[in-house]
Amino acid sequence: MTARIIDGKAVADRLNADTAAKAAVYAKAHGRPPGLAVVLVGEDPASQVYVRNKGKSTIAAGMLSIEHKLPADTSQDELLRLVRALNEDARIDGILVQLPLPKHLDADLIIDTIDPDKDVDGFHVVNAGRLVVGFDGFVPCTALGSMMLIDEAGVKVEGAEAVVIGRSNLVGKPVSQLLLRRNATVTMAHSRTKDLAAVCRRADILIAAVGRPRLVQPDWIKPGAVVIDVGINRIEEGGRNRLVGDVAYDGAAQVAGAITPVPGGVGPMTIACLLKNTLTSAERRAKR
Ligand code: NAP
């Protein structure tokens, strides 16, 4: 068997086109486009790239993009003041504080200072609670994007055995909640799980969000399963720097029914879902 490759870039492009069309309708109706503010503290090179890409994508979707780039020695009070000002700023529907923050800043406190109704990253404890209870809120973008790719594979989620490896607040927990909401039977696996290979072999839907290059081996995969590889790992191989996922892709693609590649799978979905969440925030705020 050779798996169908789930093209995350194509799905993200479609979603972005849809978001841009709806953002234009919103701008016409309300006299302003939806707005996203991104706050970057310090000069972490990877974070700078992420922030630049988010800004470009926001503008490409016809939305207002505001970037605040602060020096690494910004105090906690200064950052809290900025977040509170953005909470009050009527042009801004989404606020994102790029993580990781420098060590002297309390990331949990800063995230929890964002108005939950502008927390388009879905990291605020109120949004985590809303997700568990089943209320409308914001769901972390990578989890949301992973679900869209499962749907793209055309698999029936209801009643399926789903195994999620990883239990972070960022990916593992929210994607497990989304699967549960769709009536999958969900197993959350982690570093203390016994016989991870046997647990994975039960899965009709297998999501790997671990951060261990090629942890998931082809013989861990049930033939025909849908495999969503969230991992992004940089490795040295054959004298080259490569990006690989948490799944041993070449072998896994011979067993799975559908699989996401790395890069080009879950990755492109994350920013697309951020823009979707920002539009949703604008639409909800306009109704209040
Ligand atoms: P994280 O916070 O480090 O969590 C990793 C999880 O994996 C933990 O729950 C950990 O278990 C579990 N784990 C670690 N080693 C394991 C092992 N050998 N067997 C089973 N479980 C194991 O990572 P994260 O933030 O969720 O990110 C996971 C991966 O997704 C990373 O590669 C990250 O780069 C990638 N990612 C990609 C995107 C994207 O846009 N595509 C976005 C976010 C993250 P314990 O809880 O027991 O420690």
Side-chain angles (χ1 to χ4, degrees), residues 46-274:
S47 294
Q48 285 180 327
V49 174
Y50 294 144
V51 166
R52 199 177 319 129
N53 289 342
K54 284 168 188 169
K56 272 195 212 156
S57 305
T58 307
I59 291 164
M63 297 188 187
L64 171 69
S65 166
I66 294 188
E67 286 178 19
H68 289 271
K69 292 185 179 157
L70 308 179
D73 61 358
T74 299
S75 73
Q76 176 121 313
D77 278 352
E78 280 172 274
L79 185 53
L80 288 173
R81 264 201 303 279
L82 172 61
V83 170
R84 290 193 189 107
L86 293 170
N87 284 343
E88 298 304 319
D89 189 334
R91 299 168 305 160
I92 299 299
D93 302 290
I95 303 170
L96 181 155
V97 177
Q98 184 66 44
L99 300 177
L101 286 170
K103 287 199 171 46
H104 68 282
L105 298 170
D106 179 348
D108 289 341
L109 176 67
I110 304 230
I111 298 299
D112 284 344
T113 302
I114 298 174
D115 177 348
D117 294 330
K118 291 190 177 186
D119 167 44
V120 286
D121 247 348
F123 293 167
H124 195 291
V125 70
V126 166
N127 281 317
R130 286 168 169 165
L131 177 59
V132 173
V133 176
F135 291 171
D136 280 345
F138 292 109
V139 177
C141 303
T142 304
L144 206 55
S146 299
M147 285 306 293
M148 288 182 189
L149 295 185
I150 290 171
D151 286 335
E152 178 70 11
V155 66
K156 188 168 180 235
V157 177
E158 179 160 334
E161 284 275 353
V163 173
V164 180
I165 323 173
R167 55 175 164 179
S168 70
N169 293 332
L170 196 72
V171 192
K173 280 181 195 158
V175 89
S176 299
Q177 289 297 333
L178 289 173
L179 285 159
L180 192 60
R181 204 186 254 193
R182 296 271 301 274
N183 299 320
T185 302
V186 184
T187 302
M188 291 177 73
H190 45 77
S191 67
R192 318 291 164 86
T193 297
K194 284 188 192 146
D195 200 353
L196 183 59
V199 171
C200 291
R201 257 179 236 121
R202 296 205 306 258
D204 303 308
I205 299 170
L206 179 62
I207 308 215
V210 190
R212 299 275 180 277
R214 299 178 182 139
L215 173 78
V216 176
Q217 293 298 305
D219 66 348
W220 296 20
I221 295 169
K222 181 175 175 178
V226 172
V227 178
I228 305 293
D229 189 351
V230 181
I232 300 180
N233 309 290
R234 215 168 268 287
I235 61 164
E236 281 288 333
E237 195 170 66
R240 282 195 308 141
N241 206 306
R242 294 191 59 187
L243 271 192
V244 299
D246 290 340
V247 178
Y249 180 83
D250 292 342
Q254 302 304 311
V255 186
I259 189 166
T260 58
V262 176
V266 177
M269 293 302 293
T270 300
I271 294 185
C273 288
L274 176 70

